[in-house]
Amino acid sequence: MDNQGLSSYFQFKNVNWPNMWSATWETIWMTLVAMILVAVIGIALGLILFETRNKNGFWYRLLNLVVSVLVNIFRSIPYIILIVLLLPITKNIVGTIIGPTAAIPSLVISAAPFYARMVESNFHEIDNGVIEAVKSMGATNWEIIWKVLIPESTPALIAGATVTTISLISYTAMAGAIGAGGLGNLAYLDGFQSNNNSITLVATVIILIFVFIVQYIGDAFVKGTDKRGL
Amino acid sequence: MIKFKDVSKVFQLKGSQLKAVNDVNLTIDDGDIFGIIGYSGAGKSTLVRMLNGLETPTTGSVEVHGHDIAKLSGRELRDQQKQIGMIFQHFNLLWSRSIIDNVMLPLELAHVDKASRVAKAKKLIELVGLKGRENDYPSELSGGQKQRVGIARALANDPKLLISDEATSALDPQTTDEILELLLKINRELGITIVLITHEMHAIRKVAKNVAVMQDGQVVEQGSVSEIFNHPQQAITKRFVSENDTPDSNDTMMALDELVERYPNGSIIKLTFSGERSQSPVVSQVAKQRPNLEINIIEGSLHPTQTGTIGVLVIQLLGDADEQKKALQDFKTLKVETEVISRG
Ligand SMILES: Nc1ncnc2c1ncn2[C@@H]1O[C@H](COP(=O)(O)OP(=O)(O)OP(=O)(O)O)[C@@H](O)[C@H]1O
Ligand SMILES: [Mg+2]
């Protein structure tokens, strides 16, 4: 039997490489598209949370309450349950529940709140004195956002985005298991269900390489933008 | 011209109120360097932050260059803010921007075109003595250099008023003096009014022309610097003045204690002279009038201020207690401020 024991991991002749590469591209595509949306939505929500915190006024409080509650809810639902929960909505938005595109809504909805909280706390780390100094120069709120909040927290925003991207990669694998394609799907169907350990191993190694590359690029950008400790 | 009229500021705390500024009336003339001194929590920052709209008065009005700051709309206020520069204890530079980009920030906010921004920023960086460091980042500068960048940034929009909130409090004495010199130079060369908050009498003496003393939200005393130095009325002012020129180092205090022990019938007096008095032979005059007294000079110093020189002399009077009292009276008639530091 060559599908049992340690040697079963190294039957590389059983690996369908074209399938493997297309699954790899699907994973990369899902991760990148989801991450771009997560970054935009996460920063927007983070800004709303930051700007409405500790403010007086009914609308500020209401907005803060609504966004916090939604963020907390979607951050707390385990991803595998969220996909299933969102199936009908996904079908409406994307038109299908199978394939990499179908995974995007659930990926974004689970990761954006996670990133939004990080963004909010990154903004809180900025020295209040700096914000006030720029305010005293006659800056509008938008100018504060574009010239202070975002530039001053860029390294932290990138570090948070790196962590989020890495969790997105593992989410795509989970999404794959229920039909979204990608390496998770391949490892599950062709690896686990067909008893082909080599495929599982190769898929794992590719995912690891992907994670390492993301981490490396993220670290490089953090270092390049951080001018605090030259 | 800046006018605080019956200004009070009340902060609402959980379950209580805090009157940070209490019925302040002040007028600051154009071109002045106006010092505000007081201990921590006196309300100095709260008061000056009303000048550029960072704080609004609960009652009363704050007028800057003819505008009632609290009455301005958002846009009008931002336009006014562009004419007021402010520097801070912790500099508050943006670490993500290079020196020149920090100095250009106020110009960006005022929508000045790029070429003029660069030209102006370079000129200011040169003015504050940092030529050649334009493309460095704040993290590469010392505290004093950071404050120079802060000053250049505050001057970017040619303000009429510069507010300095404890701008030298995080710096060592030498650097403090350099920054104070720079502020003096800016005041002289550009004619900018400077409001200088501090808790160091030294800074006031060195650069201010007029001063207000704050305590518990109130201005308890104000006037020209030499007036306040020579004739402090309030206990707190006296404390600030003596902090500044009483022999306060441990060594001198020990030496004084020794003198008191050795000559139990003597007393140690601090004399403060101002203006022409600092040059007249007051001590020898008194010595001649009281031949039975011995006068022992312990320590003396001269402090030039923006409104005249102040001299401080610490002496010991030895002899009959009655004669000592009379000598004190003599000094007073000669218009010299006296303070008994210790009596044997
Ligand atoms: N935003 C605020 N909310 C509540 N209380 C405040 C606020 N700002 C200042 N205070 C209080 O007002 C009082 C005066 O503060 P302020 O900062 O004006 O003092 P200061 O004279 O500048 O002191 P320091 O020398 O320490 O800077 C303090 O008791 C302070 O706690
Ligand atoms: Mg203060």
Side-chain angles (χ1 to χ4, degrees), chain B residues 40-41 43-46 49 89 165-166 197:
Chain B
S40 191
K44 309 178 295 290
S45 298
T46 309
R49 287 156 54 85
Q89 178 173 3
D165 190 352
E166 308 263 12
I197 296 189

mmCIF file of all heavy atoms in Angstrom, chain B residues 40-41 43-46 49 89 165-166 197, ligand 2:
data_model
loop_
_atom_site.group_PDB
_atom_site.id
_atom_site.type_symbol
_atom_site.label_atom_id
_atom_site.label_comp_id
_atom_site.label_asym_id
_atom_site.label_seq_id
_atom_site.Cartn_x
_atom_site.Cartn_y
_atom_site.Cartn_z
ATOM 1 N N SER B 40 2.338 73.781 38.278
ATOM 2 C CA SER B 40 1.561 72.802 37.513
ATOM 3 C C SER B 40 0.096 72.825 37.955
ATOM 4 O O SER B 40 -0.196 72.851 39.144
ATOM 5 C CB SER B 40 2.163 71.415 37.733
ATOM 6 O OG SER B 40 1.599 70.528 36.832
ATOM 7 N N GLY B 41 -0.801 72.850 36.992
ATOM 8 C CA GLY B 41 -2.220 72.829 37.301
ATOM 9 C C GLY B 41 -2.820 74.195 37.541
ATOM 10 O O GLY B 41 -4.007 74.326 37.833
ATOM 11 N N GLY B 43 -3.483 76.426 35.443
ATOM 12 C CA GLY B 43 -4.420 76.802 34.395
ATOM 13 C C GLY B 43 -3.775 77.564 33.247
ATOM 14 O O GLY B 43 -4.476 78.104 32.382
ATOM 15 N N LYS B 44 -2.453 77.568 33.206
ATOM 16 C CA LYS B 44 -1.739 78.326 32.171
ATOM 17 C C LYS B 44 -2.056 77.806 30.772
ATOM 18 O O LYS B 44 -2.417 78.579 29.881
ATOM 19 C CB LYS B 44 -0.212 78.228 32.401
ATOM 20 C CG LYS B 44 0.232 78.555 33.808
ATOM 21 C CD LYS B 44 1.729 78.396 33.966
ATOM 22 C CE LYS B 44 2.249 76.978 33.812
ATOM 23 N NZ LYS B 44 1.901 76.059 34.887
ATOM 24 N N SER B 45 -1.919 76.489 30.594
ATOM 25 C CA SER B 45 -2.170 75.928 29.268
ATOM 26 C C SER B 45 -3.617 76.166 28.852
ATOM 27 O O SER B 45 -3.895 76.562 27.724
ATOM 28 C CB SER B 45 -1.897 74.426 29.254
ATOM 29 O OG SER B 45 -0.550 74.193 29.542
ATOM 30 N N THR B 46 -4.525 75.899 29.774
ATOM 31 C CA THR B 46 -5.937 76.088 29.453
ATOM 32 C C THR B 46 -6.182 77.519 28.992
ATOM 33 O O THR B 46 -6.896 77.758 28.015
ATOM 34 C CB THR B 46 -6.799 75.770 30.696
ATOM 35 O OG1 THR B 46 -6.417 74.483 31.195
ATOM 36 C CG2 THR B 46 -8.270 75.773 30.357
ATOM 37 N N ARG B 49 -4.533 78.153 25.464
ATOM 38 C CA ARG B 49 -5.163 77.356 24.411
ATOM 39 C C ARG B 49 -6.455 77.989 23.918
ATOM 40 O O ARG B 49 -6.976 77.622 22.873
ATOM 41 C CB ARG B 49 -5.395 75.928 24.902
ATOM 42 C CG ARG B 49 -4.096 75.120 24.987
ATOM 43 C CD ARG B 49 -4.194 73.982 25.972
ATOM 44 N NE ARG B 49 -5.325 73.120 25.702
ATOM 45 C CZ ARG B 49 -5.282 72.115 24.839
ATOM 46 N NH1 ARG B 49 -4.171 71.837 24.229
ATOM 47 N NH2 ARG B 49 -6.345 71.376 24.610
ATOM 48 N N GLN B 89 5.905 71.618 24.691
ATOM 49 C CA GLN B 89 6.937 70.991 25.515
ATOM 50 C C GLN B 89 7.515 69.752 24.841
ATOM 51 O O GLN B 89 8.713 69.540 24.847
ATOM 52 C CB GLN B 89 6.339 70.613 26.876
ATOM 53 C CG GLN B 89 7.327 69.912 27.781
ATOM 54 C CD GLN B 89 6.768 69.693 29.174
ATOM 55 O OE1 GLN B 89 5.620 70.017 29.467
ATOM 56 N NE2 GLN B 89 7.580 69.144 30.052
ATOM 57 N N ASP B 165 4.187 76.920 24.881
ATOM 58 C CA ASP B 165 3.689 76.264 26.096
ATOM 59 C C ASP B 165 4.772 75.348 26.655
ATOM 60 O O ASP B 165 4.926 74.219 26.230
ATOM 61 C CB ASP B 165 2.408 75.481 25.792
ATOM 62 C CG ASP B 165 1.725 74.993 27.068
ATOM 63 O OD1 ASP B 165 2.324 75.142 28.155
ATOM 64 O OD2 ASP B 165 0.603 74.473 26.975
ATOM 65 N N GLU B 166 5.511 75.852 27.617
ATOM 66 C CA GLU B 166 6.580 75.085 28.267
ATOM 67 C C GLU B 166 7.575 74.549 27.238
ATOM 68 O O GLU B 166 8.059 73.426 27.357
ATOM 69 C CB GLU B 166 5.998 73.889 29.043
ATOM 70 C CG GLU B 166 4.891 74.263 29.997
ATOM 71 C CD GLU B 166 5.379 74.439 31.429
ATOM 72 O OE1 GLU B 166 6.607 74.497 31.624
ATOM 73 O OE2 GLU B 166 4.537 74.542 32.322
ATOM 74 N N ILE B 197 4.634 80.504 28.207
ATOM 75 C CA ILE B 197 4.241 79.852 29.459
ATOM 76 C C ILE B 197 5.433 79.132 30.023
ATOM 77 O O ILE B 197 6.179 78.494 29.293
ATOM 78 C CB ILE B 197 3.192 78.772 29.201
ATOM 79 C CG1 ILE B 197 1.941 79.398 28.670
ATOM 80 C CG2 ILE B 197 2.883 78.013 30.469
ATOM 81 C CD1 ILE B 197 0.839 78.394 28.619
HETATM 82 MG MG MG C 2 0.437 73.211 30.810
#
